[in-house]
Amino acid sequence: MKILRHPHEVFPPIDYARREGASIGLVPTMGALHAGHYALVRQSASQCDKTVATIFVNPTQFGPNEDLSRYPRTLETDLEGLAAAGADFVFVPQESHLYPRGFSTFVEPPTVSLPLEGTFRPGHYRGVATIVLKLFNLIPATTAFFGRKDYQQFLTIQKMVEDLNVPIRVEACETIREADGLALSSRNRYLSPGDRSRAVGIYRSLQSTLKVFETGVRKTAALEAVLTQTLEESGIHEIDYARVVDAQTLQEIESVSSPAVALIAARLGATRLIDNWILQT
Ligand code: AMP
């Protein structure tokens, strides 16, 4: 696995492989890697001739009161894990190389980025869309892999690629979970033992809603009531949102007649967790 540190180093070898006819998979991450990230790398390695992972804690997607400085950084073990998962290249840029003094151009993200996370984390998807487009320009990949765990992020990237005619395919990968159902997240390590046991309530809430949905309940208000009630019963009271919305547009719906998605964002102590489940019609 070749480690590339400077933006000048990254384009030529990938471009060369591409010209030789290789398909290139790209897996952008912020490091502090876990089995969810490695599953993306393995999925890329199984489908593409070469896989490029990136590790960069992107400052422009963090709000002023968010956890940029305390975001976990575990580079050495990340690199070992990436090599074992089958990455061929890893791009580990410095902040000053991607955002040099005077940097001032940003991507205006699509409307699908506005509700939900967009409301609670203003500017977040502007930062995400900007860094992802920069990575797409630096790394001429054929397919980029994103986790369904960050469902609104996946839709935002997919729409940006469509709207801006970026020549890359965007693929979603299933959410990898702990044995009890909690979605793996770099932030889980910050949960106190008590918060960790309450956190499974997020998964439980999505499953209770799915069960009710499968009995034929279609009214959004009724489904959202189950989402919220299960969270509360699990001791999760700081709920940013617990919604059922259209799975493509994330717009509000009165009842579910085409695929929908249940999405939750909740805070446990100082840690904010998100998760979602698709409701297939
Ligand atoms: P992050 O490092 O949090 O920016 O995540 C990098 C990529 O890994 C994103 O595409 C995430 O959606 C994906 N990811 C994070 N957690 C999981 C998970 N539990 N299962 C699958 N993919 C994940």
Side-chain angles (χ1 to χ4, degrees):
M1 185 177 75
K2 198 160 170 33
I3 300 172
L4 306 165
R5 295 184 185 274
H6 198 282
H8 293 154
E9 286 180 292
V10 69
F11 184 85
I14 316 292
D15 183 50
Y16 179 79
R18 186 82 195 257
R19 282 165 196 271
E20 294 281 288
S23 55
I24 314 285
L26 170 62
V27 181
T29 81
M30 296 207 300
L33 303 181
H34 52 62
H37 298 112
Y38 297 134
L40 296 184
V41 172
R42 276 196 298 272
Q43 185 159 336
S44 170
S46 74
Q47 292 180 26
C48 301
D49 299 319
K50 299 281 178 203
T51 290
V52 189
T54 69
I55 298 179
F56 181 61
V57 183
N58 175 38
T60 63
Q61 70 189 67
F62 286 79
N65 301 317
E66 293 184 352
D67 55 353
L68 172 63
S69 61
R70 71 169 207 144
Y71 198 85
R73 286 158 172 89
T74 58
L75 186 60
E76 287 315 308
T77 47
D78 290 353
L79 294 176
E80 285 167 22
L82 287 173
D88 299 285
F89 298 94
V90 53
F91 179 43
V92 193
Q94 279 176 31
E95 186 180 324
S96 63
H97 288 155
L98 286 188
Y99 295 109
R101 198 197 303 252
F103 180 93
S104 62
T105 306
F106 288 86
V107 175
E108 176 78 24
T111 51
V112 72
S113 73
L114 298 178
L116 305 161
E117 289 297 284
T119 308
F120 285 89
R121 303 186 69 189
H124 172 64
Y125 286 123
R126 178 180 187 253
V128 169
T130 302
I131 190 64
V132 170
L133 186 61
K134 282 166 71 67
L135 293 173
F136 287 174
N137 286 331
L138 284 167
I139 299 164
T142 40
T143 307
F145 295 85
F146 291 88
R148 274 193 201 283
K149 146 89 167 40
D150 299 281
Y151 186 73
Q152 190 171 9
Q153 169 171 279
F154 165 68
L155 291 182
T156 297
I157 302 300
Q158 201 181 38
K159 192 73 175 92
M160 175 186 79
V161 160
E162 186 187 327
D163 285 354
L164 298 183
N165 308 100
V166 185
I168 196 166
R169 212 168 66 82
V170 180
E171 190 165 317
C173 307
E174 288 318 307
T175 301
I176 306 298
R177 299 174 180 281
E178 301 279 7
D180 66 0
L182 176 66
L184 295 189
S185 163
S186 306
R187 294 180 165 102
N188 289 352
R189 71 190 70 202
Y190 292 130
L191 295 167
S192 68
D195 287 340
R196 171 62 187 86
S197 48
R198 284 193 298 140
V200 68
I202 294 175
Y203 177 72
R204 221 177 270 147
S205 166
L206 293 168
Q207 293 309 301
S208 305
T209 306
L210 175 66
K211 251 191 214 135
V212 169
F213 178 75
E214 284 174 342
T215 67
V217 173
R218 291 291 179 269
K219 288 279 180 222
T220 307
L223 295 166
E224 289 181 348
V226 178
L227 269 182
T228 307
Q229 194 187 329
T230 317
L231 287 171
E232 297 277 358
E233 284 167 5
S234 309
I236 299 174
H237 306 293
E238 293 182 288
I239 304 166
D240 282 354
Y241 56 79
R243 304 298 311 273
V244 173
V245 294
D246 181 87
Q248 276 307 309
T249 63
L250 303 186
Q251 292 300 303
E252 292 180 11
I253 44 177
E254 205 169 300
S255 65
V256 180
S257 54
S258 53
V261 58
L263 300 118
I264 292 173
R267 279 164 291 123
L268 291 99
T271 305
R272 187 172 181 278
L273 300 179
I274 61 171
D275 200 354
N276 66 85
W277 203 272
I278 298 284
L279 303 175
Q280 287 291 357
T281 44

